[in-house]
Amino acid sequence: DIQMTQSPSALSASVGDRVTITCRASQRISYWLAWYQQKPGRVPRLLIYKASSLESGVPSRFSGSGSGTEFTLTISSLQPDDFATYYCQQYNSDPYTFGQGTKLDIK
Amino acid sequence: QVTLKESGPVLVKPTETLTLTCTVSGFSLRNTEMGVSWIRQPPGKALEWLAHIFPNDAESYSTSLKSRLTISKDTSKSQVVLTMTDLDPVDTATYYCARASESCAGDCYASWGQGTLVTVSS
């Protein structure tokens, strides 16, 4: 199975900060990577697919990059609504796998 | 509008078998290019991918849980069913079904059910 490792596991930041979360795959997955946002008690929300494509309705402050084994999710200017947990998911080959999550909270 | 809704028991005893149903609307399981997955999340923990059924009825399973899982679909009822055998308290989790998204050009998920919390306890 392909293992997905996110870093950091937790992150404290302030409104207006630029934040980057990294996801590494244990083998090459081309650009078949998605990012999700999840708030407590809520269903995960798709933010980014194919590593860098923004899902419809997602604010442009979210961006994704990378290919192969290393990927990043960047939030250009944190807003209060962005404090949540973020997950990456590879869908290059099944069984599909998620990262362990990165919890982003307010400093 | 694509919707998915999970249903099943709230409480299951250890060693029992769990059967969860995902009822979908807004698309047909018979004529679709997108598959449906089951994903779970123990309280306070990360998402864990469990199983997927492809449009051609092929199945895929988490390697660690493969021996305990079966996914199937009933196109006439618009349902995808997951069975998990030999439950243990560590299987306590919110179980989600999710549909692969056309925009992903693969199996990532824009449409999710609201989830159903299953507790395993005697």
Side-chain angles (χ1 to χ4, degrees):
Chain A
D1 296 8
I2 299 173
Q3 294 203 3
M4 306 302 293
T5 304
Q6 290 181 232
S7 60
S9 296
L11 177 59
S12 293
S14 301
V15 173
D17 283 354
R18 179 182 180 91
V19 165
T20 297
I21 298 169
T22 298
C23 179
R24 289 187 174 87
S26 62
Q27 59 192 78
R28 295 183 66 84
I29 60 170
S30 186
Y31 49 70
W32 300 110
L33 183 100
W35 288 98
Y36 300 86
Q37 177 194 66
Q38 188 182 32
K39 297 178 181 178
R42 304 290 295 274
V43 174
R45 175 194 184 192
L46 178 65
L47 300 175
I48 302 283
Y49 60 91
K50 286 171 67 178
S52 61
S53 296
L54 195 67
E55 174 70 355
S56 177
V58 174
S60 59
R61 62 181 180 273
F62 290 92
S63 64
S65 65
S67 67
T69 61
E70 187 152 338
F71 303 85
T72 59
L73 172 71
T74 299
I75 310 172
S76 60
S77 177
L78 269 175
Q79 299 302 301
D81 192 47
D82 300 338
F83 293 96
T85 299
Y86 293 84
Y87 295 95
C88 61
Q89 177 226 340
Q90 70 81 17
Y91 57 105
N92 178 75
S93 60
D94 63 275
Y96 307 129
T97 43
F98 288 92
Q100 82 280 14
T102 295
K103 185 175 182 180
L104 175 56
D105 63 18
I106 301 173
K107 185 185 287 184
Chain B
Q1 181 189 359
V2 171
T3 65
L4 304 96
K5 186 172 184 179
E6 305 89 349
S7 59
V10 173
L11 181 64
V12 182
K13 289 182 168 55
T15 76
E16 289 187 340
T17 294
L18 171 68
T19 299
L20 294 172
T21 301
C22 175
T23 302
V24 308
S25 62
F27 70 100
S28 170
L29 291 173
R30 191 188 314 273
N31 301 310
T32 179
E33 295 184 358
M34 313 312 299
V36 174
S37 289
W38 284 93
I39 295 151
R40 72 178 179 180
Q41 186 171 39
K45 296 189 177 181
L47 299 168
E48 180 182 15
W49 186 89
L50 297 177
H52 185 82
I53 189 158
F54 293 87
N56 64 359
D57 292 344
E59 303 157 26
S60 179
Y61 296 100
S62 162
T63 299
S64 63
L65 293 168
K66 186 172 186 174
S67 63
R68 299 171 55 207
L69 294 175
T70 304
I71 190 170
S72 61
K73 65 182 177 183
D74 184 333
T75 55
S76 66
K77 294 182 179 179
S78 294
Q79 293 178 337
V80 176
V81 176
L82 182 75
T83 61
M84 178 182 291
T85 61
D86 193 24
L87 259 68
D88 182 272
V90 300
D91 296 312
T92 295
T94 296
Y95 287 76
Y96 297 99
C97 59
R99 178 184 181 249
S101 171
E102 289 92 342
S103 60
C104 294
D107 297 321
C108 76
Y109 313 106
S111 301
W112 296 65
Q114 84 274 19
T116 185
L117 176 61
V118 177
T119 300
V120 183
S121 175
S122 54

